[in-house]
């Protein structure tokens, strides 16, 4: 990234190290990161601080964060082109989040859909972090003067809040933050659960058949696609009243680069069993090299740590400039 022209706009995105990285995360987020990493100065974080909003087993959490980091690299994120790092390694995230808290209203946070959903799911642990999640996300984005945030459709509301906070701060003081735009792809922005095709594929779904990991073994992938919920018709068509089949068509199209129309033409009357088999195979083939590279990388923890260290150092150099500017603007005393 340091070799790239500094005037390239900045991209920021991340995934929380919870559950598994699903094919939904890949299609909705990571595949776009890969497309964009040549044209932008990209920064991709493991959002480990965000993951603390839900109780984690420390040993499993540490292992999962490293596994996610290896999966980022195995997918093709390139440390020579992009900054790839752990959010918790750059202390400016929490520093800016605290400051931005003072420019965010409680009512804005309590109306967030994700807060409502997660509060319902974790009723025994509705902590301040869960409420504050979007402010930390705003801090992640604004810290790097991000122009573009490639995310899935479910993050649109959080992105809007980040824009509101940036505008509010800029209006009170003077232009300080770049106001970020979202990048939400037209197709694949929301991949649905294989068991309930009206709700999104979630990486912490307690039903193991609902989501597929990008490093899952071939047999398990095939089994899940064979069991995918469809409907009681037999025709393969992309229609609103056929959410299961439509979801499988989107996945198939994303895996192969073929248009949905082309796939429908081929599978329209072939029956669901043949269709599901083909979708499963396309997923297995697409992720086979990623899984192999992931296994190789996980045997080289020294390399993974060196990439993480370099990423954190580069990220911090940018973050430090923003936080210094913010502190100056709001009137905190500088140590000279
Ligand atoms: N189903 C999806 N389709 C398309 N994009 C998706 N994203 C998430 N799910 C889909 C995008 O992936 C990025 C990371 O999001 P996240 O870390 O919030 O993961 P998640 O899968 O959305 O997490 P869950 O399901 O809420 O589980 P927990 O609670 O464990 O984190 C984002 O860009 C998101 O839009």
């Amino acid at each position: 990234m340091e070799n790239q022209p500094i005037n390239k706009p900045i991209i920021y995105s991340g995934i929380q190290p919870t559950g598994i990285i699903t094919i939904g995360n890949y299609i909705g987020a990571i595949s776009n990161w890969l497309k964009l990493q040549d044209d932008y100065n990209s920064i991709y974080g493991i959002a480990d601080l965000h993951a603390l909003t839900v109780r984690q087993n420390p040993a499993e959490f540490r292992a999962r964060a490293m596994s996610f980091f290896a999966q980022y690299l195995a997918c093709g994120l390139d440390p020579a082109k992009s900054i790839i790092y752990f959010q918790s390694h750059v202390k400016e995230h929490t520093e800016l989040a605290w400051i931005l808290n003072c420019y965010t209203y409680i009512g804005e946070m309590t109306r967030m859909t994700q807060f409502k959903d997660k509060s319902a799911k974790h009723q025994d642990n509705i902590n301040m972090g869960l409420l504050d999640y979007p402010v930390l996300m705003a801090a992640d984005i604004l810290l790097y003067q991000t122009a573009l945030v490639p995310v899935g459709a479910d993050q649109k509301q959080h992105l809007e809040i980040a824009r509101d906070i940036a505008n509010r701060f800029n209006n009170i003081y003077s232009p300080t933050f770049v106001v970020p735009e979202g990048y939400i792809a037209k197709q694949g922005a929301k991949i649905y659960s294989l068991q309930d095709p009206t709700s999104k594929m979630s990486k912490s779904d307690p039903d193991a058949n609902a989501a597929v990991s990008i490093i899952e073994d071939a047999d398990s992938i095939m089994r899940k696609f064979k069991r995918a919920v469809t409907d009681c018709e037999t025709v393969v068509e992309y229609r609103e009243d056929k959410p299961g089949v439509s979801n499988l068509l989107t996945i198939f199209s994303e895996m192969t680069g073929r248009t949905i129309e082309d796939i429908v033409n081929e599978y329209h009357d072939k029956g669901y069993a043949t269709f599901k088999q083909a979708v499963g195979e396309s997923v297995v083939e697409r992720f086979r090299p990623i899984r192999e590279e992931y296994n190789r990388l996980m045997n080289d923890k020294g390399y993974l740590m060196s990439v993480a260290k370099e990423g954190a150092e580069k990220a911090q150099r940018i973050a430090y400039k923003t936080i210094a500017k913010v502190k100056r603007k709001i009137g905190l005393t500088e140590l000279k």
Side-chain angles (χ1 to χ4, degrees):
M1 176 148 174
E2 275 172 338
N3 302 330
Q4 294 182 349
I6 47 169
N7 59 357
K8 275 191 184 179
I10 292 181
I11 280 191
Y12 186 92
S13 202
I15 297 181
Q16 300 185 74
T18 49
I20 52 172
I21 298 187
T22 69
I23 60 171
N25 298 132
Y26 184 88
I27 295 170
I30 298 175
S31 68
N32 294 318
W33 303 355
L34 296 169
K35 280 181 212 145
L36 297 165
Q37 71 173 345
D38 286 326
D39 297 327
Y40 290 82
N41 283 335
S42 313
I43 306 173
Y44 295 118
I46 297 290
D48 49 3
L49 295 172
H50 276 106
L52 292 174
T53 54
V54 172
R55 281 287 172 269
Q56 305 292 340
N57 168 303
E60 283 171 17
F61 182 39
R62 194 175 295 120
R64 187 180 301 109
M66 190 49 87
S67 163
F68 273 36
F69 191 75
Q71 289 178 63
Y72 274 16
L73 300 183
C75 284
L77 291 183
D78 180 354
K81 294 179 183 166
S82 305
I83 292 177
I84 309 160
Y85 78 112
F86 290 72
Q87 181 190 32
S88 63
H89 291 165
V90 179
K91 63 180 172 39
E92 283 78 3
H93 287 263
T94 41
E95 210 175 348
L96 183 60
W98 172 255
I99 294 172
L100 296 183
N101 271 332
C102 304
Y103 298 83
T104 308
Y105 301 109
I106 292 170
E108 289 177 310
M109 299 293 97
T110 49
R111 71 176 168 78
M112 291 288 109
T113 310
Q114 182 178 292
F115 173 67
K116 289 183 197 159
D117 290 350
K118 297 240 158 133
S119 301
K121 246 194 233 167
H122 304 280
Q123 284 186 16
D124 54 338
N125 183 23
I126 306 176
N127 59 64
M128 283 300 296
L130 210 53
L131 182 67
D132 207 25
Y133 184 111
V135 180
L136 180 58
M137 181 166 155
D140 296 346
I141 295 167
L142 303 183
L143 200 50
Y144 298 103
Q145 304 295 351
T146 302
L148 202 66
V149 187
V151 284
D154 60 318
Q155 289 297 329
K156 211 170 157 207
Q157 203 181 29
H158 288 168
L159 194 64
E160 275 308 313
I161 276 290
R163 287 170 55 84
D164 291 347
I165 296 172
N167 278 319
R168 189 171 299 152
F169 194 98
N170 289 349
N171 288 335
I172 297 175
Y173 301 97
S174 54
T176 308
F177 297 118
V178 169
V179 180
E181 298 288 338
Y183 177 98
I184 298 175
K186 283 200 188 75
Q187 180 178 289
K190 192 163 181 183
I191 298 299
Y192 294 87
S193 156
L194 296 185
Q195 289 302 309
D196 172 9
T198 57
S199 58
K200 84 163 186 172
M201 183 179 285
S202 162
K203 63 203 220 302
S204 297
D205 198 315
D207 181 350
N209 288 320
V212 173
S213 153
I214 61 170
I215 50 166
E216 200 154 320
D217 68 78
D219 288 349
S220 171
I221 294 176
M222 292 307 295
R223 215 172 26 249
K224 288 185 183 179
F225 277 96
K226 274 182 199 152
R227 287 184 189 161
V229 169
T230 46
D231 50 57
C232 47
E233 293 186 357
T234 52
V235 288
V236 173
E237 281 174 4
Y238 191 93
R239 289 197 334 239
E240 209 170 312
D241 62 337
K242 291 169 77 68
V245 172
S246 300
N247 188 39
L248 294 178
L249 278 166
T250 304
I251 294 171
F252 201 179
S253 167
E254 287 292 326
M255 293 296 99
T256 57
R258 293 173 63 184
T259 63
I260 288 183
E261 196 186 2
D262 180 35
I263 300 167
V264 168
N265 283 339
E266 183 178 348
Y267 289 93
H268 191 268
D269 299 315
K270 292 215 167 119
Y272 287 168
T274 308
F275 175 57
K276 286 180 183 179
Q277 170 89 15
V279 182
E281 280 166 5
S282 75
V283 173
V284 169
E285 286 319 310
R286 176 69 179 271
F287 290 110
R288 189 188 301 283
I290 290 176
R291 184 160 169 252
E292 285 167 5
E293 178 62 1
Y294 167 76
N295 288 334
R296 193 189 68 75
L297 285 166
M298 284 302 277
N299 283 322
D300 195 351
K301 297 267 167 49
Y303 171 72
L304 292 175
M305 205 36 96
S306 72
V307 174
K309 197 156 181 269
E310 197 188 334
E313 284 164 4
K314 287 182 181 171
Q316 190 156 31
R317 278 201 284 277
I318 306 172
Y320 178 77
K321 282 190 199 150
T322 302
I323 203 84
K325 190 160 134 189
V326 167
K327 285 176 161 177
R328 229 177 10 254
K329 295 228 180 172
I330 58 180
L332 290 171
T333 306
E334 286 175 82
L335 255 189
K336 291 196 175 148

